[in-house]
Amino acid sequence: MKIKLHPTFSLFTAALVMGLVMGIFEPEGFSFTEVLTMITSGFGSTLGSMGIPIMLGAILAMGVQDTGAAKSIANFFIKLFRGKNLELAPALTAYIVSIPVFGDITTILTSNIANVLSKRKHISMGKMAAFTQTGLNLTHAMVPPTPGILAVSVLLSADLGLVIGWGILISIIAFILTWLLLRKWTDKEWIEPLPEVVAEIEETSSNDVKDILIPGKDVPGTFPAFLTILIPVVLIAGSSFINMAVAEDAPIRVWTAIFGDKVVALSLGVIYTMFLALFHKFAVRKSNQDVTGKDPANFREVVLDSWIARGLSVALPALLITGMGGAFATVIKAAPAINDLAGLIENSGVPGLLIPFLIGAIMFTAVGSMTTGGMTAAGVVGPMMGVLGLTPVSTVLAIGAGTMIFNHVNNSGFWVISKFFNLNLKQGLKYITVPDFVAGVICFIMICAASAVGIF
């Protein structure tokens, strides 16, 4: 932050220095070439899993913008909330979508709504980011079938239905309380929405819903507009729920494996949006011309070339930073001290539910992955549950709350949210790390209270 170094190379430098320090002071040290190998493998593996979805999501975002779907979606939420507290629109969308859908995809899908409403009603992107990512991460940490909390539930033999039910109840209360506590605080700093997303959107100061509604010529209806987001969401979510409900050898799993894949689902969303563009050529041409200054004679050039070029330009910084965040996390995970941290907490004498909560928090802080942090905590706490008098459901939820506590620079999702919500590093720490911390603590307090009265 002091020397204004780009986040990609800040993460690279931190990973390199940490690897070299471990090479000098750790008994199982690493050579210079081994550190570079870890960095490159972490960078590559992160992009291998996230690269194509981020690119497809960014292309989809251009289509949502040009067709006017973003305007229709924003208008729906303006009517729903009667023009007030519009930061809740993308936040509650993210809360629901993130239950079955990969967190970074949810960020991409909801960022358009956040940017449009930010510009229309002059709501800081800091406020939009704070509550959108809090809603997203609460269900990501607390509600199966998100992979991390699902794996923890299985490892600790917790009743999945109870975890889902209590996870939803606790997380929605935590979201509401976090919003009530921080909504005024998030108003103190103005952060612009992404210019390329809100090129055609005008600001209004009126509180009348009719005045706040975003005007647009040749824009799609509400349902066709929502399908641009619902197609990938429903396909991915449906796959998750079907796989939970049917046997492993059920024939339908062949189809869910195909259409529930994030790349296939997002590709179908992009294809649908391209067909939608054919019915709204005027809006698409005007939006593309406003953004690029060009109006190709052949309409296909707008959809098949301009959308992709613009999407890739938006996705590139997120791709590079996300990949390097994965590289940094890979180096941290290789540190022998990671396992020692869990051992220290286990032997510290900390009572009851604090142990799974703290181990989940420390592991997430160290490795930047809710899944890795949660599963590590489950492995440590599992053998101690009987001695500590912990039930499986309370232990699983405490671990989930712990993995909310310190979301920072070694989590790839931190950078995806920062880029799509136009936050710099300092603003990311302010509007991502702090709200998550508050929400995690509120969740843990409710878990302790419910456990104390014997609810679970």
Side-chain angles (χ1 to χ4, degrees), residues 287-304:
S287 177
N288 182 73
Q289 185 176 20
D290 289 343
V291 174
T292 66
K294 300 177 182 178
D295 185 20
N298 192 324
F299 182 72
R300 284 177 296 178
E301 189 176 338
V302 176
V303 175
L304 299 178

PDB file of all heavy atoms in Angstrom, residues 287-304:
ATOM      1  N   SER A 287     -25.834   0.794 -26.654  1.00  0.00           N
ATOM      2  CA  SER A 287     -24.973   0.598 -25.492  1.00  0.00           C
ATOM      3  C   SER A 287     -23.533   0.321 -25.907  1.00  0.00           C
ATOM      4  O   SER A 287     -22.591   0.889 -25.345  1.00  0.00           O
ATOM      5  CB  SER A 287     -25.508  -0.550 -24.629  1.00  0.00           C
ATOM      6  OG  SER A 287     -24.653  -0.794 -23.537  1.00  0.00           O
ATOM      7  N   ASN A 288     -23.356  -0.535 -26.892  1.00  0.00           N
ATOM      8  CA  ASN A 288     -22.005  -0.863 -27.348  1.00  0.00           C
ATOM      9  C   ASN A 288     -21.305   0.364 -27.925  1.00  0.00           C
ATOM     10  O   ASN A 288     -20.121   0.602 -27.677  1.00  0.00           O
ATOM     11  CB  ASN A 288     -22.070  -1.979 -28.396  1.00  0.00           C
ATOM     12  CG  ASN A 288     -20.682  -2.389 -28.881  1.00  0.00           C
ATOM     13  OD1 ASN A 288     -19.928  -3.038 -28.175  1.00  0.00           O
ATOM     14  ND2 ASN A 288     -20.346  -1.987 -30.100  1.00  0.00           N
ATOM     15  N   GLN A 289     -22.053   1.172 -28.676  1.00  0.00           N
ATOM     16  CA  GLN A 289     -21.471   2.383 -29.260  1.00  0.00           C
ATOM     17  C   GLN A 289     -21.105   3.387 -28.177  1.00  0.00           C
ATOM     18  O   GLN A 289     -20.049   4.045 -28.257  1.00  0.00           O
ATOM     19  CB  GLN A 289     -22.436   3.013 -30.261  1.00  0.00           C
ATOM     20  CG  GLN A 289     -21.847   4.216 -31.012  1.00  0.00           C
ATOM     21  CD  GLN A 289     -22.803   4.740 -32.067  1.00  0.00           C
ATOM     22  OE1 GLN A 289     -24.013   4.487 -32.012  1.00  0.00           O
ATOM     23  NE2 GLN A 289     -22.279   5.475 -33.034  1.00  0.00           N
ATOM     24  N   ASP A 290     -21.939   3.524 -27.173  1.00  0.00           N
ATOM     25  CA  ASP A 290     -21.639   4.445 -26.076  1.00  0.00           C
ATOM     26  C   ASP A 290     -20.346   4.050 -25.359  1.00  0.00           C
ATOM     27  O   ASP A 290     -19.584   4.911 -24.910  1.00  0.00           O
ATOM     28  CB  ASP A 290     -22.793   4.472 -25.078  1.00  0.00           C
ATOM     29  CG  ASP A 290     -24.019   5.180 -25.634  1.00  0.00           C
ATOM     30  OD1 ASP A 290     -23.869   5.906 -26.630  1.00  0.00           O
ATOM     31  OD2 ASP A 290     -25.106   5.000 -25.059  1.00  0.00           O
ATOM     32  N   VAL A 291     -20.121   2.736 -25.223  1.00  0.00           N
ATOM     33  CA  VAL A 291     -18.955   2.252 -24.489  1.00  0.00           C
ATOM     34  C   VAL A 291     -17.691   2.275 -25.350  1.00  0.00           C
ATOM     35  O   VAL A 291     -16.623   2.683 -24.890  1.00  0.00           O
ATOM     36  CB  VAL A 291     -19.210   0.826 -23.959  1.00  0.00           C
ATOM     37  CG1 VAL A 291     -17.936   0.255 -23.310  1.00  0.00           C
ATOM     38  CG2 VAL A 291     -20.347   0.831 -22.947  1.00  0.00           C
ATOM     39  N   THR A 292     -17.817   1.830 -26.604  1.00  0.00           N
ATOM     40  CA  THR A 292     -16.624   1.651 -27.453  1.00  0.00           C
ATOM     41  C   THR A 292     -16.400   2.770 -28.461  1.00  0.00           C
ATOM     42  O   THR A 292     -15.306   2.910 -29.001  1.00  0.00           O
ATOM     43  CB  THR A 292     -16.721   0.323 -28.225  1.00  0.00           C
ATOM     44  OG1 THR A 292     -17.825   0.394 -29.156  1.00  0.00           O
ATOM     45  CG2 THR A 292     -16.939  -0.844 -27.267  1.00  0.00           C
ATOM     46  N   GLY A 293     -17.482   3.540 -28.741  1.00  0.00           N
ATOM     47  CA  GLY A 293     -17.371   4.565 -29.782  1.00  0.00           C
ATOM     48  C   GLY A 293     -17.481   3.998 -31.181  1.00  0.00           C
ATOM     49  O   GLY A 293     -17.263   4.718 -32.164  1.00  0.00           O
ATOM     50  N   LYS A 294     -17.831   2.725 -31.313  1.00  0.00           N
ATOM     51  CA  LYS A 294     -17.918   2.067 -32.620  1.00  0.00           C
ATOM     52  C   LYS A 294     -19.314   1.454 -32.790  1.00  0.00           C
ATOM     53  O   LYS A 294     -19.931   1.015 -31.832  1.00  0.00           O
ATOM     54  CB  LYS A 294     -16.856   0.976 -32.748  1.00  0.00           C
ATOM     55  CG  LYS A 294     -15.424   1.488 -32.611  1.00  0.00           C
ATOM     56  CD  LYS A 294     -14.432   0.327 -32.668  1.00  0.00           C
ATOM     57  CE  LYS A 294     -13.006   0.823 -32.489  1.00  0.00           C
ATOM     58  NZ  LYS A 294     -12.035  -0.306 -32.500  1.00  0.00           N
ATOM     59  N   ASP A 295     -19.766   1.405 -34.050  1.00  0.00           N
ATOM     60  CA  ASP A 295     -21.046   0.781 -34.365  1.00  0.00           C
ATOM     61  C   ASP A 295     -20.863  -0.083 -35.614  1.00  0.00           C
ATOM     62  O   ASP A 295     -21.118   0.364 -36.736  1.00  0.00           O
ATOM     63  CB  ASP A 295     -22.116   1.844 -34.605  1.00  0.00           C
ATOM     64  CG  ASP A 295     -23.499   1.241 -34.809  1.00  0.00           C
ATOM     65  OD1 ASP A 295     -23.712   0.082 -34.396  1.00  0.00           O
ATOM     66  OD2 ASP A 295     -24.360   1.929 -35.406  1.00  0.00           O
ATOM     67  N   PRO A 296     -20.394  -1.312 -35.449  1.00  0.00           N
ATOM     68  CA  PRO A 296     -20.122  -2.181 -36.599  1.00  0.00           C
ATOM     69  C   PRO A 296     -21.369  -2.385 -37.457  1.00  0.00           C
ATOM     70  O   PRO A 296     -22.490  -2.476 -36.939  1.00  0.00           O
ATOM     71  CB  PRO A 296     -19.687  -3.502 -35.955  1.00  0.00           C
ATOM     72  CG  PRO A 296     -19.247  -3.130 -34.570  1.00  0.00           C
ATOM     73  CD  PRO A 296     -20.112  -1.977 -34.177  1.00  0.00           C
ATOM     74  N   ALA A 297     -21.163  -2.464 -38.788  1.00  0.00           N
ATOM     75  CA  ALA A 297     -22.277  -2.671 -39.695  1.00  0.00           C
ATOM     76  C   ALA A 297     -22.931  -4.028 -39.456  1.00  0.00           C
ATOM     77  O   ALA A 297     -24.154  -4.166 -39.531  1.00  0.00           O
ATOM     78  CB  ALA A 297     -21.809  -2.548 -41.142  1.00  0.00           C
ATOM     79  N   ASN A 298     -22.108  -5.028 -39.176  1.00  0.00           N
ATOM     80  CA  ASN A 298     -22.621  -6.378 -38.943  1.00  0.00           C
ATOM     81  C   ASN A 298     -22.915  -6.555 -37.453  1.00  0.00           C
ATOM     82  O   ASN A 298     -22.008  -6.438 -36.616  1.00  0.00           O
ATOM     83  CB  ASN A 298     -21.592  -7.414 -39.413  1.00  0.00           C
ATOM     84  CG  ASN A 298     -22.171  -8.817 -39.481  1.00  0.00           C
ATOM     85  OD1 ASN A 298     -22.991  -9.201 -38.657  1.00  0.00           O
ATOM     86  ND2 ASN A 298     -21.735  -9.579 -40.477  1.00  0.00           N
ATOM     87  N   PHE A 299     -24.166  -6.835 -37.126  1.00  0.00           N
ATOM     88  CA  PHE A 299     -24.565  -6.953 -35.721  1.00  0.00           C
ATOM     89  C   PHE A 299     -23.812  -8.067 -35.000  1.00  0.00           C
ATOM     90  O   PHE A 299     -23.533  -7.967 -33.804  1.00  0.00           O
ATOM     91  CB  PHE A 299     -26.077  -7.198 -35.618  1.00  0.00           C
ATOM     92  CG  PHE A 299     -26.589  -7.274 -34.209  1.00  0.00           C
ATOM     93  CD1 PHE A 299     -26.682  -6.137 -33.414  1.00  0.00           C
ATOM     94  CD2 PHE A 299     -26.952  -8.494 -33.658  1.00  0.00           C
ATOM     95  CE1 PHE A 299     -27.140  -6.205 -32.114  1.00  0.00           C
ATOM     96  CE2 PHE A 299     -27.423  -8.578 -32.355  1.00  0.00           C
ATOM     97  CZ  PHE A 299     -27.514  -7.432 -31.583  1.00  0.00           C
ATOM     98  N   ARG A 300     -23.477  -9.134 -35.728  1.00  0.00           N
ATOM     99  CA  ARG A 300     -22.756 -10.249 -35.099  1.00  0.00           C
ATOM    100  C   ARG A 300     -21.415  -9.818 -34.527  1.00  0.00           C
ATOM    101  O   ARG A 300     -20.919 -10.398 -33.573  1.00  0.00           O
ATOM    102  CB  ARG A 300     -22.552 -11.378 -36.123  1.00  0.00           C
ATOM    103  CG  ARG A 300     -23.807 -12.203 -36.396  1.00  0.00           C
ATOM    104  CD  ARG A 300     -23.553 -13.246 -37.451  1.00  0.00           C
ATOM    105  NE  ARG A 300     -23.226 -12.641 -38.738  1.00  0.00           N
ATOM    106  CZ  ARG A 300     -22.920 -13.337 -39.842  1.00  0.00           C
ATOM    107  NH1 ARG A 300     -22.876 -14.647 -39.806  1.00  0.00           N
ATOM    108  NH2 ARG A 300     -22.662 -12.708 -40.967  1.00  0.00           N
ATOM    109  N   GLU A 301     -20.835  -8.789 -35.133  1.00  0.00           N
ATOM    110  CA  GLU A 301     -19.543  -8.308 -34.638  1.00  0.00           C
ATOM    111  C   GLU A 301     -19.670  -7.713 -33.230  1.00  0.00           C
ATOM    112  O   GLU A 301     -18.741  -7.799 -32.422  1.00  0.00           O
ATOM    113  CB  GLU A 301     -18.976  -7.260 -35.601  1.00  0.00           C
ATOM    114  CG  GLU A 301     -17.545  -6.856 -35.277  1.00  0.00           C
ATOM    115  CD  GLU A 301     -16.962  -5.895 -36.298  1.00  0.00           C
ATOM    116  OE1 GLU A 301     -17.471  -5.855 -37.440  1.00  0.00           O
ATOM    117  OE2 GLU A 301     -16.000  -5.178 -35.951  1.00  0.00           O
ATOM    118  N   VAL A 302     -20.823  -7.121 -32.937  1.00  0.00           N
ATOM    119  CA  VAL A 302     -21.045  -6.582 -31.596  1.00  0.00           C
ATOM    120  C   VAL A 302     -21.067  -7.713 -30.574  1.00  0.00           C
ATOM    121  O   VAL A 302     -20.396  -7.667 -29.537  1.00  0.00           O
ATOM    122  CB  VAL A 302     -22.376  -5.794 -31.538  1.00  0.00           C
ATOM    123  CG1 VAL A 302     -22.649  -5.324 -30.105  1.00  0.00           C
ATOM    124  CG2 VAL A 302     -22.341  -4.609 -32.481  1.00  0.00           C
ATOM    125  N   VAL A 303     -21.848  -8.759 -30.883  1.00  0.00           N
ATOM    126  CA  VAL A 303     -22.077  -9.834 -29.926  1.00  0.00           C
ATOM    127  C   VAL A 303     -20.888 -10.787 -29.837  1.00  0.00           C
ATOM    128  O   VAL A 303     -20.484 -11.193 -28.740  1.00  0.00           O
ATOM    129  CB  VAL A 303     -23.364 -10.610 -30.308  1.00  0.00           C
ATOM    130  CG1 VAL A 303     -23.557 -11.814 -29.402  1.00  0.00           C
ATOM    131  CG2 VAL A 303     -24.575  -9.688 -30.220  1.00  0.00           C
ATOM    132  N   LEU A 304     -20.322 -11.137 -30.981  1.00  0.00           N
ATOM    133  CA  LEU A 304     -19.288 -12.175 -31.020  1.00  0.00           C
ATOM    134  C   LEU A 304     -17.863 -11.638 -30.891  1.00  0.00           C
ATOM    135  O   LEU A 304     -16.936 -12.415 -30.658  1.00  0.00           O
ATOM    136  CB  LEU A 304     -19.404 -12.983 -32.324  1.00  0.00           C
ATOM    137  CG  LEU A 304     -20.733 -13.722 -32.527  1.00  0.00           C
ATOM    138  CD1 LEU A 304     -20.739 -14.438 -33.870  1.00  0.00           C
ATOM    139  CD2 LEU A 304     -20.987 -14.703 -31.395  1.00  0.00           C
TER     140      LEU A 304
END
